[in-house]
């Protein structure tokens, strides 16, 4: 047991690591891992885990085609690790056969999810060779011609997550087509733009050949298309990549006319173009053929949002990892945190999205782009949509938002995460999606009743961003997904989520359909997402079991809603009995109203 | 003394008030002996601001401006409004951290008002303070005052009757002026011995029982078995205190006791930390990229950390190690009370209900002699020279908030209660936080002439407002995490007057109402 002066006296950490009974040790160490259907054992081995929190721990490691699992066999410290191989970024040998010192021979594993793992092995008999080679092979299957686990798993779920997002249905929900915007299938074979989805919404007046001409002037053919349209004022959010202006300042009449059509669609005097980049970066892009819209775009104003590029964000998160793992830089915690600039980047992304949302809600259409329009652009459009449209603040709505603005519009998940790829130093990797999730979390903290989902959903999404267990975040674009029959051969993450929704629901959710949420993007009101970034540190684990209480509250709420519905029904049937003019539109008492029905009822239908 | 001597101008018309969370408004300003009253001219708005003058920490007169600005705010205002006369601007900074701005037409009136506020907000005479004049219609001065007494506390704690007794050695406050008339002491020690012990302790504050751990029968404060002494000064400070006639228990004379030094900041250092923090929070410059550094430089959160970890250490000694602990600093009226209160909250579930918490505060802070009058006479904005001000009580509330934040289900009261207490400690309609000790309160008949805040907070209507809807009684100790990444700025207090914090307050209220309503209908 802890000595009295332990936790509050020194940095020794022992109070949080529970001890196990001798009895449990008698059981097979690895018997308690439940393998997923399709998951297979590759190798297991006696090993020492050099735990940064409780020191060297003897135990056994199991490697499967999906995970690395470790369990201690020490009676005093119960340590388990359960790491999807997809979360591994780098595997290195540490020390050699002749290395001196205790535990100097082993493996160093760098993870993508804010932790590193270090294992030590016996120096005799090249005990590291087989495990290193097998781990290296299965952690980076793509580099070894192996399939990702998503293609191997045999998991089955009640719900089919692939049916969550149907592009045409979503556009219809927004009120499309109308007399200003139409749905086009010009990209059905991904010929107009190979990184765009097949279904696009474009200005009604724009003909297919115009779209082709515009695509020649936009980086990678990513023409401006509709992301979202305001139901009442018809102001639109359009997204695209940078115009190919170049050093010589090229112009393209079709592109200019096209942007003016977007402005014209809701009849406002000026179209605002938000260039997510800092001004200087936009100028520098001219040298490589890109650039930004100049004065030749009449009736348009250009605003730079000063958000930095993927490399800056990667370095910032790396700095953050340095100060939180394995040990938190405690002596100057706040100034160290400040020096990572992570929260400052969050602030800039959020405040950019606020500007977009504000412009749109005041009736002005906007175009958002960065360089290629798949990183910062996705952050800005999706966050602005989250602020403007309460549908995206529901459990299913967030799924649609991610499927639409991130997955279908070609955020390069494979390149940014490096799924199954051994090249850990790839300059294309960047935590852009993590940053987006952080912004969603910041919003949910500022508006505790506005989101139907809870923090656990965000954590689950980020876990499987790396895990490669689901097809959801695989590949860079829709065309690649089609080619690889992703929907047919893999399971969607939303299948997992939607088969057990109660785990991800916020009991305090109060739908407010018309409301625009403007978070405060001030440093004073932003917080580090400790439960994500420092979740491996046993010191900051959840202090009390809130989740159980929330589940109870959800049940209580459902009970309340049921009773309320019963009261309402008995009232309306009484009214109906009283004579004509009673409310006949209410559902028949025979169909017991579920919570979902109740809420769709409360919301203004789209 | 007549209050009216200090009021040269009692009423001013056409004053423009700017306050946080509201649009500017124009109306009548009125100064009374204890209040500043502003009534909106637009009758339908019916807006009134009633501010205790005692709540005002600082008045700043800004340069005389002509009425251009004034018309900028009210473009439709008629030109007849003495457009040529100058006006003065007063910035009123409150102890609850609110900042108001008054534009007062006429320089002389403006200066008169400033003068009145400056004088009346810092009156020293306790008997003239507002609690002695506050007479709400729904309460009587004969209502019961206070929640408990040392006698009742002792009677209720049957488990300690075997080895502890109630002593009335201090019944006329002669042994220790800052202690209550009855205290709990070891049975084996007679009153004469207590008197001797008191002579050996600063301020006569001899060791008394403050907490008895029912689970294992150990006590915080004193015991006959060997235990720990937690000294809230560093070893060096304790050594220095020796030169001044104070000091610490030497090893040879107190064998079996283990001394632990935990350096806790006090007095001026703590007050200056608060001032720095409030300054950073109020920084209006748009470029806030140094915010985290400023927050760190204020050191407020590190004081929170030290307080929580020292309280954790105390609780560990008692709860885990089963030892008795004696806690002291130098006087035993500040950091000592802070950590013994926190430790009880950590260990004892009965302190975590609304009633239990208020009783704890009454016993451990009010009755135990925390000098509220001295410590809370000014807050972070005052320009007056610092005297005995020190935000120990505010630090306690902040620490309790951290517990509340880390254990959302474990405390029976809400953040709103902590905010209310943080305001009331500095300026109040009630007598609860008046004076520096029981003796002073007794001399001024506070219990007979004022109303009791704690009693009011427990009335059904108020009570509902201050309960935590998620509360679940929990017998276990709640060990706070004291790592810097686990500690948060108490935005609810320090950024209270911002739109975002206001919004979150409303949301908390919504959630409470929601849960209460679910409960009612689901169980019906």
């Amino acid at each position: 047991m802890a000595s009295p002066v332990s936790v509050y006296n020194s940095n020794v950490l022992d109070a949080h690591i529970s001890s196990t009974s001798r009895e449990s040790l008698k059981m097979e160490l690895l018997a308690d891992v439940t393998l997923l259907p399709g998951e297979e054992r590759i190798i297991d081995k006696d090993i020492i885990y050099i735990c940064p929190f409780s020191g060297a721990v003897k135990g056994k490691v199991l490697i499967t085609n999906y995970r690395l699992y470790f369990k201690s066999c020490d009676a005093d410290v119960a340590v388990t690790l359960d790491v999807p191989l997809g979360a591994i970024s780098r595997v290195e040998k540490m020390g050699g056969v002749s290395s001196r010192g205790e535990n100097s021979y082993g493996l160093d594993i760098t993870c993508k999810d804010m932790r590193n793992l270090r294992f030590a092995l016996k120096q005799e008999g090249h005990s590291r060779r087989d495990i290193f080679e097998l781990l290296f092979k299965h952690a980076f299957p793509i580099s070894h011609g192996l399939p990702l686990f998503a293609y191997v798993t045999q998991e089955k779920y009640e719900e089919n997550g692939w049916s969550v997002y149907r592009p045409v249905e979503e556009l219809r929900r927004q009120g499309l087509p109308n007399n200003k915007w139409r749905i086009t299938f010009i990209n059905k074979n991904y010929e107009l733009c190979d990184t765009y989805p097949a279904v696009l919404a474009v200005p009604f007046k724009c003909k297919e050949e115009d779209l082709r001409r515009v695509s020649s002037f936009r980086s990678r053919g990513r023409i401006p298309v509709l992301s979202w349209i305001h139901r009442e004022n018809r102001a639109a959010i359009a997204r695209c990549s940078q115009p190919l202006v170049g050093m010589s300042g090229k112009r393209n009449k079709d592109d200019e006319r096209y942007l003016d059509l977007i402005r014209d669609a809701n009849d406002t005097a000026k179209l605002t173009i938000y260039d997510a980049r800092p001004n200087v970066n936009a100028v520098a892009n001219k040298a490589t053929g890109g650039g930004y819209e100049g004065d030749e775009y009449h009736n348009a104003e250009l605003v730079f949002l000063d958000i930095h590029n993927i490399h800056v964000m990667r370095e910032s998160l790396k700095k953050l990892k340095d100060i939180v793992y394995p040990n938190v830089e405690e002596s100057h915690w706040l100034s160290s945190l400040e020096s990572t600039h992570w929260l400052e980047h969050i602030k800039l992304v959020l405040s950019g999205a606020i500007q977009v949302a504000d412009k749109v809600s005041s009736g002005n259409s906007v175009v958002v782009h960065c360089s290629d329009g798949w990183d910062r652009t996705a952050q800005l459009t999706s966050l602005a949509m989250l602020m403007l449209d309460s549908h995206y603040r529901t459990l299913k709505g967030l799924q649609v938002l991610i499927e639409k603005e991130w997955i279908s519009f070609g955020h390069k998940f494979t390149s940014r995460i490096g799924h199954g790829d051994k090249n850990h130093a790839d300059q294309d990797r960047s935590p852009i999606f993590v940053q987006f999730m952080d912004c969603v979390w910041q919003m949910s903290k500022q508006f505790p009743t506005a989101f139907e989902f809870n923090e656990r959903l965000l954590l689950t999404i980020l876990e499987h961003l790396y895990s490669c267990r689901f097809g959801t975040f695989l590949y860079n674009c829709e065309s690649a997904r089609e080619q690889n029959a992703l929907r047919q051969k893999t399971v969607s993450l939303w299948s997992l989520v939607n088969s057990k929704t109660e785990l991800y629901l916020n009991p305090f959710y109060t739908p407010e359909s018309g409301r625009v949420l403007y978070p405060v993007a001030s440093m004073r009101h932003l917080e580090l997402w400790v439960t994500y970034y420092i979740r491996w540190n046993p010191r900051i684990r959840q202090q009390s079991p809130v989740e159980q209480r929330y589940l109870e509250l959800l049940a209580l709420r459902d009970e309340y809603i049921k009773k309320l519905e019963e009261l309402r029904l008995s009232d309306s049937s009484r009214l109906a009995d009283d004579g004509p003019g009673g409310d006949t539109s209410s559902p028949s008492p025979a169909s017991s109203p579920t919570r979902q029905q109740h809420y769709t009822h409360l919301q203004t239908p789209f | 003394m007549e209050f009216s001597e200090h009021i040269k101008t009692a009423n001013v018309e056409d004053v423009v008030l700017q306050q946080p969370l509201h649009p500017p408004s124009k109306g009548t300003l009125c100064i009374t002996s204890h209040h500043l009253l502003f009534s909106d001219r637009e009758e339908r708005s019916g807006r009134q601001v009633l501010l205790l003058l005692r709540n005002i920490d600082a008045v700043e007169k800004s340069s005389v401006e002509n009425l251009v600005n004034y018309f900028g705010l009210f473009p439709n205002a008629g030109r007849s409004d003495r457009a040529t006369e100058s006006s003065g601007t007063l910035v009123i900074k409150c102890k609850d951290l609110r900042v108001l701005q008054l534009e007062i037409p006429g320089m002389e009136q403006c200066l008169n008002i400033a003068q009145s506020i400056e004088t009346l907000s810092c009156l020293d005479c306790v008997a003239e303070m507002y609690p002695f004049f506050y007479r709400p219609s729904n309460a009587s001065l004969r209502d019961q005052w206070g929640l408990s007494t040392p006698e009742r506390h002792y009677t209720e704690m049957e488990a300690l009757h075997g080895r502890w007794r109630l002593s009335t050695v201090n019944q006329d406050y002669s042994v220790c002026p800052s202690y209550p008339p009855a205290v709990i002491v070891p049975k084996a020690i007679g009153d004469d011995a207590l008197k001797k012990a008191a002579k050996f302790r600063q301020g006569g504050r001899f060791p008394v029982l403050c907490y008895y751990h029912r689970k294992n029968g150990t006590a915080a404060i004193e015991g006959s078995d060997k235990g720990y002494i937690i000294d809230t000064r560093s070893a060096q400070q304790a050594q220095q205190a020796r030169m001044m006639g104070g000091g610490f228990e030497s090893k040879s004379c107190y064998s079996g006791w283990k001394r632990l030094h935990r350096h806790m900041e006090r007095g001026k250092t703590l007050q200056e930390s608060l001032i720095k923090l409030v300054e950073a929070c109020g920084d209006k410059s748009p470029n806030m990229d140094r915010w985290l550094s400023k927050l760190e430089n204020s050191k407020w959160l590190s004081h929170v950390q030290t307080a929580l970890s020292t309280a954790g250490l105390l609780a560990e000694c008692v709860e885990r190690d089963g030892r008795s602990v004696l806690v002291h600093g130098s006087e035993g009226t500040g950091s000592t009370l802070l950590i013994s209160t926190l430790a009880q909250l950590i260990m004892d579930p009965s302190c975590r209900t609304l009633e239990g918490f208020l009783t704890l505060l009454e016993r451990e802070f009010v009755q135990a002699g925390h000098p509220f009058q001295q410590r809370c006479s000014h807050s972070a904005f005052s320009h007056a020279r610092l005297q005995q001000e020190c935000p120990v009580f505010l630090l306690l509330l902040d620490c309790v908030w951290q517990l509340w934040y880390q254990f959302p289900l474990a405390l029976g009261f809400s953040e709103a209660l902590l905010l209310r207490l943080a305001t009331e400690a500095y300026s109040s309609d009630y007598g609860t936080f008046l004076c520096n000790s029981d003796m002073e309160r007794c001399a001024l008949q506070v219990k007979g002439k004022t109303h009791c805040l704690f009693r009011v907070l427990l009335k059904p209507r108020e009570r509902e407002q201050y309960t935590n809807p998620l509360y679940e009684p929990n017998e276990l100790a709640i060990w706070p995490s004291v790592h810097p990444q686990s500690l948060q700025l108490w935005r609810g207090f320090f950024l209270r007057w911002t739109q975002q914090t206001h919004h979150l307050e409303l949301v908390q209220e919504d959630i409470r109402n929601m849960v209460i309503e679910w409960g009612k209908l689901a169980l019906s």
Side-chain angles (χ1 to χ4, degrees), chain A residues 4-5 8-9 328 330 332 334-335 338 445-447 507 510 524 526-527 539 543 549 553 560 563, chain B residues 262 281 283 290 292-293 296 309 313 316 405-407 470 472 479-480 483 491 503 517-518 522 524:
Chain A
V5 229
Y8 300 100
N9 197 30
V328 178
E330 293 197 349
H332 294 284
L334 293 171
S335 47
E338 184 170 275
K445 286 289 276 188
Q446 295 193 10
F447 300 96
T510 316
R524 283 190 188 93
L526 298 178
E527 257 173 57
R539 286 174 189 163
Q543 293 284 318
R549 178 82 172 118
L553 284 170
Y560 168 78
K563 287 220 170 146
Chain B
R262 284 294 172 279
C281 290
D283 188 350
R290 303 288 294 158
L292 291 172
S293 291
E296 181 174 290
S309 69
L313 173 71
E316 261 183 332
Y405 187 80
Q406 293 186 17
F407 300 90
L470 305 182
E472 269 185 337
W479 300 105
H483 303 282
R491 292 193 177 84
H503 156 77
E517 197 173 324
W518 297 344
S524 66

Side-chain angles (χ1 to χ4, degrees), chain A residues 1-9 11 13 15-16 328-338 343-344 347 445-449 507-510 515 518-520 522-528 530 534 537 539-540 542-546 549-550 552-554 556-557 559-561 563-564 567, chain B residues 228 258 260 262 280-284 286 288-296 301 305 308-310 312-313 316-317 320-321 405-409 469-472 478-486 488-489 491 495 498 500-501 503-504 507-508 510-511 514-515 517-519 521-524:
Chain A
M1 206 48 232
S3 83
V5 229
S6 60
V7 177
Y8 300 100
N9 197 30
N11 288 326
L13 179 97
H16 295 275
V328 178
E329 174 56 56
E330 293 197 349
S331 55
H332 294 284
W333 166 244
L334 293 171
S335 47
S336 306
L337 177 61
E338 184 170 275
L343 285 175
E344 216 178 300
K347 181 187 87 173
K445 286 289 276 188
Q446 295 193 10
F447 300 96
T449 58
F508 309 120
Y509 173 56
T510 316
R515 184 157 165 230
Y518 293 114
V520 180
S522 136
M523 289 299 281
R524 283 190 188 93
H525 293 280
L526 298 178
E527 257 173 57
L528 182 70
V530 167
I534 322 187
N537 190 324
R539 286 174 189 163
I540 61 99
Q542 187 85 58
Q543 293 284 318
S544 58
V546 181
R549 178 82 172 118
Y550 281 9
E552 288 165 23
L553 284 170
L554 269 176
L556 189 65
R557 185 188 73 172
E559 184 67 16
Y560 168 78
I561 289 169
K563 287 220 170 146
L564 207 65
L567 285 176
Chain B
Y228 291 101
K258 190 176 175 203
L260 302 167
R262 284 294 172 279
C281 290
D283 188 350
K284 288 282 184 300
M288 275 305 298
D289 50 19
R290 303 288 294 158
W291 160 247
L292 291 172
S293 291
K294 285 179 185 163
L295 184 55
E296 181 174 290
L301 283 172
Q305 182 187 27
L308 277 174
S309 69
T310 311
L313 173 71
E316 261 183 332
C317 294
R320 292 210 177 129
D321 207 31
Y405 187 80
Q406 293 186 17
F407 300 90
L409 315 178
L470 305 182
Y471 174 59
E472 269 185 337
I478 48 172
W479 300 105
S481 166
V482 296
H483 303 282
Q485 67 275 16
S486 306
Q488 294 289 333
L489 174 70
R491 292 193 177 84
L495 300 174
T498 61
Q500 169 58 14
T501 307
H503 156 77
L504 278 176
V507 171
Q508 291 299 340
D510 286 348
I511 290 179
M514 214 185 286
V515 175
E517 197 173 324
W518 297 344
L521 193 72
L523 299 172
S524 66

